[in-house]
Amino acid sequence: MTETETNAYDVVVLGAGPVGENVADRTRAAGLTTAVVESELVGGECSYWACMPSKALLRPVIARADARRVPGLRQAVQGTLDAPAVLAHRDYHTSNWQDDGQVGWLDGIGADLYRGHGRLTGPRTVTVTGPDGGQHVLTARHAVAVATGSRAALPRLPGLADVRPWTSREATSAKEAPGRLVVVGGGVVATEMATAWQALGSTVTMLVRGKGLLARMEPFAGELVAEALTEAGADVRTGTSVESVTRENGTVVVRTGTGDRIEADEILFATGRAPRTDDIGLETIGLEPGSWLPVDDSLRVTGHDWLYAVGDVNQRALLTHQGKYQARIAGAAIAARASGETLAAEAWGAHAATADHTAVPQVVFTDPEAAAVGLSLAEAEQAGHRVRAVDVDLSSVAGAGLYADGYTGRARMVVDLEDEILRGVTLVGPGVGELIHSATIAVAGRVPVGRLWHAVPSYPTISEVWLRLLEAYRDS
Protein backbone atom coordinates (compact mmCIF):
# COMPACT_ATOMS: atom_id res chain seq x y z
CA MET A 1 0.00 0.00 0.00
CA THR A 2 1.44 3.36 -1.05
CA GLU A 3 1.46 6.31 1.31
CA THR A 4 -0.06 9.69 0.57
CA GLU A 5 1.64 12.82 1.86
CA THR A 6 0.03 16.27 1.97
CA ASN A 7 1.99 19.52 1.72
CA ALA A 8 0.82 23.12 1.52
CA TYR A 9 2.49 25.82 -0.59
CA ASP A 10 1.68 29.34 -1.64
CA VAL A 11 2.01 28.37 -5.31
CA VAL A 12 2.01 25.07 -7.19
CA VAL A 13 3.38 25.03 -10.75
CA LEU A 14 2.38 22.17 -13.02
CA GLY A 15 5.20 21.73 -15.55
CA ALA A 16 8.94 22.44 -15.23
CA GLY A 17 9.76 23.64 -18.72
CA PRO A 18 11.17 27.14 -19.22
CA VAL A 19 7.72 28.64 -18.64
CA GLY A 20 7.12 26.81 -15.36
CA GLU A 21 10.66 27.55 -14.25
CA ASN A 22 10.13 31.27 -14.81
CA VAL A 23 6.84 31.30 -12.90
CA ALA A 24 8.64 29.62 -10.00
CA ASP A 25 11.55 32.05 -10.24
CA ARG A 26 9.25 35.06 -9.94
CA THR A 27 7.10 33.66 -7.13
CA ARG A 28 10.15 32.57 -5.15
CA ALA A 29 11.71 36.01 -5.66
CA ALA A 30 8.56 37.43 -4.08
CA GLY A 31 8.99 35.17 -1.05
CA LEU A 32 6.18 32.74 -1.89
CA THR A 33 6.74 29.05 -1.17
CA THR A 34 6.57 27.20 -4.47
CA ALA A 35 6.30 23.57 -5.59
CA VAL A 36 7.04 22.51 -9.17
CA VAL A 37 5.70 19.25 -10.65
CA GLU A 38 7.33 17.54 -13.65
CA SER A 39 6.60 14.18 -15.28
CA GLU A 40 9.55 14.18 -17.68
CA LEU A 41 12.77 16.24 -17.73
CA VAL A 42 13.16 19.51 -15.87
CA GLY A 43 13.75 22.03 -18.63
CA GLY A 44 10.89 20.79 -20.78
CA GLU A 45 10.31 20.58 -24.52
CA CYS A 46 12.48 23.56 -25.42
CA SER A 47 15.61 22.24 -23.74
CA TYR A 48 15.51 18.68 -25.04
CA TRP A 49 13.26 18.35 -28.10
CA ALA A 50 12.68 21.80 -29.60
CA CYS A 51 14.59 25.11 -29.41
CA MET A 52 17.98 23.94 -28.19
CA PRO A 53 18.50 20.74 -30.21
CA SER A 54 17.01 22.17 -33.39
CA LYS A 55 19.19 25.27 -33.29
CA ALA A 56 22.25 23.15 -32.44
CA LEU A 57 21.53 21.11 -35.58
CA LEU A 58 20.98 24.22 -37.67
CA ARG A 59 23.93 26.34 -36.54
CA PRO A 60 26.58 24.39 -38.53
CA VAL A 61 24.24 24.37 -41.53
CA ILE A 62 23.80 28.14 -41.50
CA ALA A 63 27.47 28.83 -40.74
CA ARG A 64 28.56 26.72 -43.73
CA ALA A 65 26.02 28.42 -45.99
CA ASP A 66 27.28 31.85 -44.90
CA ALA A 67 30.91 30.82 -45.36
CA ARG A 68 30.23 29.63 -48.90
CA ARG A 69 29.13 33.17 -49.77
CA VAL A 70 32.41 34.78 -48.66
CA PRO A 71 35.29 35.16 -51.16
CA GLY A 72 38.49 33.52 -49.97
CA LEU A 73 36.57 31.19 -47.70
CA ARG A 74 34.08 29.41 -49.91
CA GLN A 75 36.62 26.95 -51.33
CA ALA A 76 37.55 25.80 -47.85
CA VAL A 77 33.99 24.75 -46.98
CA GLN A 78 32.81 22.91 -50.07
CA GLY A 79 32.77 19.50 -48.43
CA THR A 80 29.94 17.79 -46.63
CA LEU A 81 29.10 18.42 -43.00
CA ASP A 82 30.52 16.02 -40.44
CA ALA A 83 27.13 14.64 -39.39
CA PRO A 84 28.37 12.71 -36.33
CA ALA A 85 30.08 15.87 -35.05
CA VAL A 86 26.91 17.92 -35.63
CA LEU A 87 24.81 15.35 -33.78
CA ALA A 88 27.34 15.29 -30.92
CA HIS A 89 27.11 19.10 -30.79
CA ARG A 90 23.31 18.71 -30.54
CA ASP A 91 23.68 16.14 -27.74
CA TYR A 92 25.96 18.50 -25.81
CA HIS A 93 23.37 21.28 -25.93
CA THR A 94 20.67 18.94 -24.64
CA SER A 95 22.98 17.81 -21.80
CA ASN A 96 22.58 14.33 -23.30
CA TRP A 97 18.97 14.44 -22.14
CA GLN A 98 19.99 14.65 -18.50
CA ASP A 99 18.40 17.35 -16.35
CA ASP A 100 20.81 17.52 -13.40
CA GLY A 101 21.77 21.12 -14.13
CA GLN A 102 18.19 22.33 -14.36
CA VAL A 103 17.26 20.46 -11.17
CA GLY A 104 20.17 22.21 -9.46
CA TRP A 105 18.88 25.56 -10.66
CA LEU A 106 15.41 24.90 -9.22
CA ASP A 107 16.99 23.88 -5.96
CA GLY A 108 19.07 27.06 -6.01
CA ILE A 109 16.01 29.32 -6.09
CA GLY A 110 14.39 27.36 -3.26
CA ALA A 111 11.57 25.70 -5.18
CA ASP A 112 10.57 22.13 -4.28
CA LEU A 113 10.51 19.64 -7.16
CA TYR A 114 8.03 16.78 -7.28
CA ARG A 115 8.68 14.22 -10.00
CA GLY A 116 5.66 12.39 -11.32
CA HIS A 117 2.32 12.91 -13.01
CA GLY A 118 0.41 15.83 -11.56
CA ARG A 119 -3.38 16.17 -11.77
CA LEU A 120 -5.76 18.73 -10.41
CA THR A 121 -8.04 16.99 -7.92
CA GLY A 122 -10.14 19.98 -7.01
CA PRO A 123 -9.72 23.73 -6.49
CA ARG A 124 -6.18 24.70 -5.44
CA THR A 125 -5.18 21.03 -5.17
CA VAL A 126 -2.72 18.96 -7.23
CA THR A 127 -2.11 15.27 -6.62
CA VAL A 128 1.24 13.95 -7.84
CA THR A 129 1.72 10.25 -8.51
CA GLY A 130 5.42 9.48 -8.42
CA PRO A 131 7.37 6.85 -10.36
CA ASP A 132 7.11 4.49 -7.38
CA GLY A 133 3.34 4.90 -7.14
CA GLY A 134 3.51 7.07 -4.05
CA GLN A 135 1.30 10.14 -3.96
CA HIS A 136 1.77 13.71 -2.79
CA VAL A 137 -1.21 16.01 -2.38
CA LEU A 138 -0.14 19.62 -2.87
CA THR A 139 -2.45 22.44 -1.85
CA ALA A 140 -1.97 26.02 -3.00
CA ARG A 141 -2.84 28.96 -0.76
CA HIS A 142 -2.75 31.46 -3.62
CA ALA A 143 -2.34 29.93 -7.08
CA VAL A 144 -1.89 26.90 -9.28
CA ALA A 145 -0.11 27.66 -12.57
CA VAL A 146 -0.58 25.24 -15.46
CA ALA A 147 2.54 25.29 -17.64
CA THR A 148 2.32 21.87 -19.27
CA GLY A 149 3.01 23.10 -22.80
CA SER A 150 1.91 21.48 -26.04
CA ARG A 151 2.59 18.36 -28.08
CA ALA A 152 2.70 17.59 -31.78
CA ALA A 153 -0.74 17.07 -33.30
CA LEU A 154 -0.91 14.18 -35.76
CA PRO A 155 -3.56 13.94 -38.49
CA ARG A 156 -6.21 11.25 -38.40
CA LEU A 157 -4.85 8.86 -41.00
CA PRO A 158 -5.73 5.15 -40.76
CA GLY A 159 -2.84 3.08 -39.46
CA LEU A 160 -0.58 6.07 -38.87
CA ALA A 161 0.62 4.78 -35.50
CA ASP A 162 1.92 1.60 -37.18
CA VAL A 163 4.10 3.75 -39.46
CA ARG A 164 5.94 5.15 -36.40
CA PRO A 165 6.08 8.68 -37.82
CA TRP A 166 8.47 11.33 -36.63
CA THR A 167 7.14 14.33 -34.77
CA SER A 168 9.26 17.30 -33.76
CA ARG A 169 10.71 15.18 -30.93
CA GLU A 170 12.09 12.48 -33.19
CA ALA A 171 13.25 15.03 -35.74
CA THR A 172 15.39 16.85 -33.19
CA SER A 173 16.73 13.77 -31.38
CA ALA A 174 17.39 11.30 -34.22
CA LYS A 175 20.74 9.51 -34.02
CA GLU A 176 21.44 9.56 -37.76
CA ALA A 177 20.23 11.18 -40.95
CA PRO A 178 17.67 9.08 -42.84
CA GLY A 179 18.50 8.51 -46.49
CA ARG A 180 15.10 9.81 -47.59
CA LEU A 181 12.86 12.00 -45.46
CA VAL A 182 9.33 13.18 -46.22
CA VAL A 183 8.30 16.31 -44.31
CA VAL A 184 4.57 16.99 -44.09
CA GLY A 185 3.81 20.63 -43.33
CA GLY A 186 5.10 24.06 -44.25
CA GLY A 187 5.51 25.87 -40.95
CA VAL A 188 8.47 26.56 -38.70
CA VAL A 189 9.23 22.99 -37.62
CA ALA A 190 8.82 21.70 -41.18
CA THR A 191 11.10 24.28 -42.79
CA GLU A 192 13.78 24.16 -40.09
CA MET A 193 13.96 20.38 -40.02
CA ALA A 194 13.95 20.17 -43.82
CA THR A 195 16.87 22.62 -43.81
CA ALA A 196 18.81 20.66 -41.19
CA TRP A 197 18.37 17.12 -42.47
CA GLN A 198 18.86 18.07 -46.13
CA ALA A 199 22.22 19.56 -45.17
CA LEU A 200 23.09 16.48 -43.07
CA GLY A 201 22.64 14.18 -46.03
CA SER A 202 18.96 13.30 -46.31
CA THR A 203 17.00 13.59 -49.55
CA VAL A 204 14.04 15.70 -48.45
CA THR A 205 10.57 15.91 -49.97
CA MET A 206 8.21 18.50 -48.48
CA LEU A 207 4.46 18.04 -48.83
CA VAL A 208 2.60 21.26 -48.09
CA ARG A 209 -1.18 21.42 -48.13
CA GLY A 210 -1.30 25.19 -48.56
CA LYS A 211 -0.01 27.53 -51.25
CA GLY A 212 3.39 28.10 -49.70
CA LEU A 213 5.70 27.91 -46.71
CA LEU A 214 5.51 29.95 -43.48
CA ALA A 215 1.90 30.95 -44.10
CA ARG A 216 1.70 33.09 -40.96
CA MET A 217 4.42 35.44 -42.20
CA GLU A 218 4.45 37.84 -45.13
CA PRO A 219 4.18 35.81 -48.38
CA PHE A 220 7.69 36.71 -49.52
CA ALA A 221 9.18 34.98 -46.47
CA GLY A 222 7.91 31.58 -47.51
CA GLU A 223 8.78 32.23 -51.14
CA LEU A 224 12.43 33.00 -50.40
CA VAL A 225 12.79 30.02 -48.04
CA ALA A 226 11.17 27.69 -50.59
CA GLU A 227 13.53 28.90 -53.31
CA ALA A 228 16.55 28.26 -51.09
CA LEU A 229 15.37 24.79 -50.03
CA THR A 230 14.79 23.88 -53.67
CA GLU A 231 18.24 25.15 -54.64
CA ALA A 232 19.72 23.04 -51.82
CA GLY A 233 18.12 19.93 -53.30
CA ALA A 234 14.82 19.56 -51.48
CA ASP A 235 11.66 18.76 -53.43
CA VAL A 236 9.04 21.26 -52.24
CA ARG A 237 5.50 20.40 -53.32
CA THR A 238 2.73 22.87 -52.40
CA GLY A 239 -0.99 22.28 -52.72
CA THR A 240 -0.37 18.64 -51.85
CA SER A 241 -2.31 16.60 -49.29
CA VAL A 242 -1.39 13.23 -47.80
CA GLU A 243 -4.09 10.65 -48.38
CA SER A 244 -2.42 7.58 -46.86
CA VAL A 245 0.82 6.45 -45.24
CA THR A 246 2.01 2.88 -44.77
CA ARG A 247 5.30 1.23 -43.88
CA GLU A 248 6.09 -1.70 -46.15
CA ASN A 249 9.15 -3.81 -45.31
CA GLY A 250 10.61 -0.85 -43.44
CA THR A 251 9.96 1.67 -46.21
CA VAL A 252 7.47 4.49 -45.74
CA VAL A 253 5.04 4.75 -48.64
CA VAL A 254 3.09 8.00 -49.01
CA ARG A 255 0.19 8.47 -51.40
CA THR A 256 -0.85 12.07 -52.08
CA GLY A 257 -4.07 13.69 -53.18
CA THR A 258 -2.49 14.36 -56.56
CA GLY A 259 -1.94 10.64 -57.09
CA ASP A 260 1.81 10.54 -56.40
CA ARG A 261 3.48 7.64 -54.62
CA ILE A 262 6.55 8.61 -52.60
CA GLU A 263 8.91 6.27 -50.79
CA ALA A 264 11.06 7.29 -47.84
CA ASP A 265 12.93 5.96 -44.86
CA GLU A 266 11.19 8.27 -42.39
CA ILE A 267 8.27 10.70 -42.43
CA LEU A 268 7.96 13.79 -40.24
CA PHE A 269 4.55 15.27 -39.52
CA ALA A 270 4.86 18.94 -38.58
CA THR A 271 1.18 19.75 -38.79
CA GLY A 272 0.40 21.74 -35.67
CA ARG A 273 0.29 21.51 -31.89
CA ALA A 274 -2.23 20.44 -29.26
CA PRO A 275 -2.31 21.42 -25.57
CA ARG A 276 -1.01 18.97 -22.97
CA THR A 277 -4.14 19.28 -20.87
CA ASP A 278 -5.89 15.97 -21.59
CA ASP A 279 -4.89 14.26 -18.33
CA ILE A 280 -4.28 16.99 -15.77
CA GLY A 281 -7.67 16.83 -14.02
CA LEU A 282 -9.43 19.75 -15.67
CA GLU A 283 -12.75 17.93 -15.32
CA THR A 284 -12.48 18.23 -11.52
CA ILE A 285 -12.81 22.01 -11.75
CA GLY A 286 -15.39 22.22 -14.52
CA LEU A 287 -13.06 22.55 -17.51
CA GLU A 288 -12.77 20.37 -20.61
CA PRO A 289 -9.85 17.90 -20.67
CA GLY A 290 -7.61 18.43 -23.69
CA SER A 291 -8.74 22.02 -24.21
CA TRP A 292 -6.78 25.23 -24.57
CA LEU A 293 -7.19 27.40 -21.47
CA PRO A 294 -8.48 30.95 -22.08
CA VAL A 295 -6.89 33.59 -19.88
CA ASP A 296 -6.93 37.32 -19.22
CA ASP A 297 -3.83 39.44 -19.67
CA SER A 298 -2.55 38.52 -16.20
CA LEU A 299 -2.70 34.89 -17.39
CA ARG A 300 -5.51 33.97 -14.98
CA VAL A 301 -7.93 31.37 -16.36
CA THR A 302 -11.41 32.66 -17.08
CA GLY A 303 -13.77 31.90 -14.18
CA HIS A 304 -11.08 30.67 -11.76
CA ASP A 305 -9.46 33.30 -9.55
CA TRP A 306 -6.71 30.91 -8.34
CA LEU A 307 -5.80 29.18 -11.64
CA TYR A 308 -3.26 30.47 -14.17
CA ALA A 309 -2.39 29.04 -17.60
CA VAL A 310 0.99 30.13 -18.90
CA GLY A 311 2.77 29.38 -22.17
CA ASP A 312 1.50 27.16 -24.95
CA VAL A 313 -1.55 25.91 -23.01
CA ASN A 314 -3.34 29.26 -23.43
CA GLN A 315 -2.75 29.35 -27.23
CA ARG A 316 -1.83 33.05 -27.23
CA ALA A 317 1.65 32.66 -28.73
CA LEU A 318 3.26 29.22 -28.96
CA LEU A 319 6.85 30.39 -28.60
CA THR A 320 9.27 29.74 -25.75
CA HIS A 321 10.33 33.34 -25.36
CA GLN A 322 6.71 34.50 -25.32
CA GLY A 323 5.83 31.85 -22.73
CA LYS A 324 8.71 33.02 -20.54
CA TYR A 325 7.44 36.59 -20.89
CA GLN A 326 3.99 35.44 -19.81
CA ALA A 327 5.58 33.60 -16.88
CA ARG A 328 7.23 36.79 -15.66
CA ILE A 329 3.90 38.62 -15.89
CA ALA A 330 1.98 35.79 -14.22
CA GLY A 331 4.52 35.43 -11.42
CA ALA A 332 4.34 39.15 -10.71
CA ALA A 333 0.52 39.08 -10.79
CA ILE A 334 0.37 36.10 -8.42
CA ALA A 335 2.71 37.86 -6.00
CA ALA A 336 0.76 41.13 -6.20
CA ARG A 337 -2.56 39.43 -5.51
CA ALA A 338 -1.04 37.40 -2.68
CA SER A 339 0.11 40.58 -0.95
CA GLY A 340 -3.14 42.45 -1.60
CA GLU A 341 -1.62 44.95 -4.02
CA THR A 342 -3.63 46.58 -6.79
CA LEU A 343 -2.59 45.14 -10.14
CA ALA A 344 -1.08 47.31 -12.85
CA ALA A 345 -3.37 45.63 -15.37
CA GLU A 346 -3.53 48.38 -17.98
CA ALA A 347 -1.95 47.82 -21.39
CA TRP A 348 1.83 47.54 -21.03
CA GLY A 349 1.46 47.47 -17.25
CA ALA A 350 3.58 45.24 -15.00
CA HIS A 351 0.78 42.66 -14.75
CA ALA A 352 -0.50 42.59 -18.36
CA ALA A 353 0.97 40.46 -21.15
CA THR A 354 0.19 43.10 -23.76
CA ALA A 355 2.94 42.06 -26.16
CA ASP A 356 1.01 38.85 -26.88
CA HIS A 357 -1.44 40.93 -28.90
CA THR A 358 0.76 43.37 -30.79
CA ALA A 359 4.48 42.66 -30.54
CA VAL A 360 5.26 38.93 -30.78
CA PRO A 361 8.71 38.34 -32.34
CA GLN A 362 9.81 35.14 -34.04
CA VAL A 363 12.87 33.89 -35.90
CA VAL A 364 12.82 30.93 -38.29
CA PHE A 365 16.37 29.54 -38.48
CA THR A 366 16.32 28.46 -42.10
CA ASP A 367 18.71 29.60 -44.82
CA PRO A 368 17.81 32.41 -45.37
CA GLU A 369 16.54 33.26 -41.92
CA ALA A 370 13.06 34.72 -41.63
CA ALA A 371 12.21 37.03 -38.75
CA ALA A 372 9.09 39.00 -37.94
CA VAL A 373 7.43 40.95 -35.15
CA GLY A 374 3.94 42.36 -34.84
CA LEU A 375 1.34 42.24 -37.60
CA SER A 376 1.76 41.35 -41.24
CA LEU A 377 0.19 43.66 -43.81
CA ALA A 378 -2.82 41.35 -44.18
CA GLU A 379 -3.27 41.03 -40.40
CA ALA A 380 -3.06 44.79 -39.91
CA GLU A 381 -5.67 45.42 -42.61
CA GLN A 382 -7.95 42.71 -41.19
CA ALA A 383 -7.66 44.38 -37.77
CA GLY A 384 -9.00 47.60 -39.29
CA HIS A 385 -5.80 49.64 -39.24
CA ARG A 386 -5.12 52.10 -42.06
CA VAL A 387 -1.60 51.03 -43.01
CA ARG A 388 1.03 51.15 -45.71
CA ALA A 389 3.64 48.49 -46.40
CA VAL A 390 7.14 49.67 -47.27
CA ASP A 391 9.52 47.15 -48.86
CA VAL A 392 13.29 47.25 -49.37
CA ASP A 393 15.59 44.82 -51.15
CA LEU A 394 18.20 43.96 -48.52
CA SER A 395 20.88 43.61 -51.18
CA SER A 396 20.77 47.41 -51.54
CA VAL A 397 22.33 47.78 -48.08
CA ALA A 398 26.12 48.02 -48.05
CA GLY A 399 26.43 45.77 -45.00
CA ALA A 400 24.56 42.98 -46.76
CA GLY A 401 27.01 43.01 -49.65
CA LEU A 402 29.90 42.75 -47.19
CA TYR A 403 28.16 39.95 -45.29
CA ALA A 404 27.83 37.75 -48.37
CA ASP A 405 28.35 37.79 -52.10
CA GLY A 406 25.02 37.66 -53.88
CA TYR A 407 23.12 38.48 -50.69
CA THR A 408 19.40 37.91 -51.25
CA GLY A 409 16.80 39.23 -48.85
CA ARG A 410 13.89 41.53 -48.30
CA ALA A 411 12.54 43.75 -45.55
CA ARG A 412 9.07 45.15 -44.93
CA MET A 413 7.70 47.52 -42.35
CA VAL A 414 3.96 48.05 -41.94
CA VAL A 415 3.26 51.66 -40.94
CA ASP A 416 0.06 52.81 -39.24
CA LEU A 417 -0.87 55.96 -41.14
CA GLU A 418 -2.99 57.35 -38.30
CA ASP A 419 -0.39 57.23 -35.52
CA GLU A 420 2.74 56.92 -37.70
CA ILE A 421 4.01 53.97 -35.69
CA LEU A 422 5.05 50.53 -36.86
CA ARG A 423 2.49 47.73 -36.67
CA GLY A 424 4.90 45.09 -37.90
CA VAL A 425 8.30 44.34 -39.42
CA THR A 426 9.47 41.31 -41.43
CA LEU A 427 13.05 40.58 -42.45
CA VAL A 428 14.25 37.70 -44.63
CA GLY A 429 17.91 37.08 -45.40
CA PRO A 430 21.13 35.67 -43.97
CA GLY A 431 21.80 36.89 -40.44
CA VAL A 432 18.54 38.79 -39.95
CA GLY A 433 17.64 36.89 -36.78
CA GLU A 434 19.98 39.18 -34.86
CA LEU A 435 18.23 42.27 -36.30
CA ILE A 436 14.69 41.52 -35.17
CA HIS A 437 15.05 42.83 -31.63
CA SER A 438 15.50 46.39 -32.87
CA ALA A 439 12.21 45.97 -34.71
CA THR A 440 10.62 44.49 -31.58
CA ILE A 441 11.63 47.55 -29.57
CA ALA A 442 10.18 49.85 -32.24
CA VAL A 443 6.87 47.96 -32.35
CA ALA A 444 6.48 47.33 -28.61
CA GLY A 445 7.59 50.87 -27.79
CA ARG A 446 5.27 52.39 -30.40
CA VAL A 447 8.19 54.53 -31.50
CA PRO A 448 7.00 57.21 -33.95
CA VAL A 449 8.49 57.12 -37.43
CA GLY A 450 9.70 60.67 -36.88
CA ARG A 451 11.78 59.54 -33.89
CA LEU A 452 13.18 56.51 -35.76
CA TRP A 453 14.96 58.95 -38.09
CA HIS A 454 17.14 59.82 -35.09
CA ALA A 455 18.07 56.18 -34.36
CA VAL A 456 21.15 56.19 -36.58
CA PRO A 457 22.28 52.73 -37.79
CA SER A 458 26.01 52.05 -37.76
CA TYR A 459 27.78 51.89 -41.12
CA PRO A 460 28.36 49.44 -42.74
CA THR A 461 25.93 47.04 -41.08
CA ILE A 462 22.83 45.29 -42.36
CA SER A 463 20.95 47.41 -39.81
CA GLU A 464 21.15 50.24 -42.32
CA VAL A 465 18.03 48.63 -43.74
CA TRP A 466 16.22 50.82 -41.20
CA LEU A 467 17.43 53.92 -42.99
CA ARG A 468 16.46 52.49 -46.38
CA LEU A 469 12.96 51.64 -45.06
CA LEU A 470 12.44 55.12 -43.64
CA GLU A 471 13.63 56.70 -46.88
CA ALA A 472 11.25 54.51 -48.87
CA TYR A 473 8.36 55.51 -46.59
CA ARG A 474 9.23 59.21 -46.93
CA ASP A 475 9.47 59.00 -50.71
CA SER A 476 6.35 56.90 -51.32
Side-chain angles (χ1 to χ4, degrees):
M1 181 177 179
T2 57
E3 295 184 1
T4 300
E5 181 180 303
T6 300
N7 292 292
Y9 290 88
D10 292 323
V11 180
V12 176
V13 180
L14 198 52
V19 175
E21 288 177 327
N22 273 266
V23 173
D25 184 46
R26 292 297 84 211
T27 57
R28 284 298 301 129
L32 300 176
T33 59
T34 302
V36 181
V37 182
E38 178 54 54
S39 61
E40 293 186 293
L41 296 175
V42 175
E45 197 81 10
C46 175
S47 297
Y48 306 104
W49 300 287
C51 316
M52 294 305 291
S54 65
K55 277 53 190 182
L57 289 172
L58 285 159
R59 178 58 194 148
V61 176
I62 303 305
R64 182 182 66 167
D66 283 347
R68 285 178 169 178
R69 300 183 182 105
V70 179
L73 181 58
R74 62 171 58 98
Q75 295 306 317
V77 290
Q78 288 303 313
T80 59
L81 288 170
D82 183 342
V86 173
L87 296 176
H89 174 68
R90 182 270 318 271
D91 294 351
Y92 170 79
H93 282 284
T94 60
S95 301
N96 289 288
W97 291 275
Q98 300 294 317
D99 64 0
D100 297 1
Q102 305 249 24
V103 171
W105 180 86
L106 269 184
D107 184 61
I109 66 169
D112 290 346
L113 172 65
Y114 289 82
R115 288 193 183 272
H117 182 65
R119 298 184 86 255
L120 290 158
T121 48
R124 302 175 188 268
T125 305
V126 173
T127 298
V128 183
T129 302
D132 61 356
Q135 290 192 329
H136 295 271
V137 177
L138 311 178
T139 60
R141 299 183 189 93
H142 297 295
V144 173
V146 177
T148 49
S150 64
R151 57 176 173 78
L154 290 171
R156 294 180 179 178
L157 289 171
L160 184 58
D162 297 331
V163 176
R164 303 181 304 281
W166 279 11
T167 66
S168 52
R169 284 198 168 197
E170 290 78 18
T172 56
S173 62
K175 299 304 181 185
E176 61 182 11
R180 300 163 297 175
L181 175 64
V182 169
V183 178
V184 183
V188 177
V189 172
T191 53
E192 288 189 348
M193 290 298 93
T195 299
W197 290 111
Q198 177 73 34
L200 288 168
S202 299
T203 299
V204 172
T205 302
M206 295 190 72
L207 305 179
V208 185
R209 181 186 292 272
K211 295 180 180 179
L213 305 182
L214 302 176
R216 295 186 178 182
M217 287 187 164
E218 299 283 9
F220 64 82
E223 291 166 5
L224 289 172
V225 171
E227 289 172 8
L229 278 167
T230 301
E231 185 177 345
D235 180 2
V236 181
R237 306 184 190 186
T238 58
T240 303
S241 62
V242 174
E243 297 300 312
S244 69
V245 182
T246 56
R247 192 178 283 271
E248 303 170 8
N249 298 318
T251 297
V252 175
V253 178
V254 183
R255 289 177 174 82
T256 72
T258 54
D260 294 329
R261 182 181 188 276
I262 304 168
E263 293 188 355
D265 298 290
E266 300 291 351
I267 183 168
L268 162 63
F269 280 91
T271 50
R273 308 288 296 179
R276 289 183 179 273
T277 60
D278 51 310
D279 190 23
I280 62 169
L282 292 182
E283 69 280 1
T284 68
I285 56 170
L287 296 174
E288 183 68 27
S291 64
W292 302 99
L293 299 176
V295 296
D296 62 20
D297 276 357
S298 72
L299 291 310
R300 189 164 62 174
V301 176
T302 304
H304 296 76
D305 63 4
W306 54 272
L307 184 64
Y308 292 73
V310 193
D312 284 10
V313 289
N314 60 40
Q315 207 182 14
R316 286 163 70 105
L318 277 67
L319 296 160
T320 296
H321 50 271
Q322 213 66 23
K324 291 165 69 175
Y325 160 72
Q326 293 175 12
R328 296 189 292 271
I329 298 293
I334 290 168
R337 287 186 173 119
S339 64
E341 295 177 23
T342 300
L343 261 63
E346 71 281 1
W348 307 109
H351 306 118
T354 312
D356 285 351
H357 306 298
T358 60
V360 175
Q362 182 174 23
V363 178
V364 185
F365 292 85
T366 46
D367 176 34
E369 291 176 346
V373 62
L375 304 179
S376 67
L377 174 61
E379 289 170 337
E381 290 175 338
Q382 288 166 7
H385 301 298
R386 191 167 69 88
V387 294
R388 178 190 302 162
V390 179
D391 290 2
V392 165
D393 183 342
L394 268 169
S395 67
S396 67
V397 178
L402 291 170
Y403 189 95
D405 272 4
Y407 190 106
T408 300
R410 186 172 170 184
R412 168 174 289 181
M413 69 178 187
V414 178
V415 183
D416 187 307
L417 298 177
E418 300 290 342
D419 299 328
E420 284 226 315
I421 59 171
L422 305 189
R423 291 289 177 184
V425 177
T426 299
L427 303 162
V428 183
V432 299
E434 295 298 336
L435 302 183
I436 198 61
H437 193 58
S438 57
T440 302
I441 292 169
V443 173
R446 297 173 60 88
V447 181
V449 169
R451 178 60 61 87
L452 287 175
W453 278 104
H454 300 281
V456 183
S458 299
Y459 182 85
T461 66
I462 304 176
S463 290
E464 273 204 307
V465 67
W466 281 105
L467 178 56
R468 301 284 91 82
L469 284 166
L470 291 168
E471 289 171 339
Y473 175 69
R474 177 196 62 194
D475 298 338
S476 63

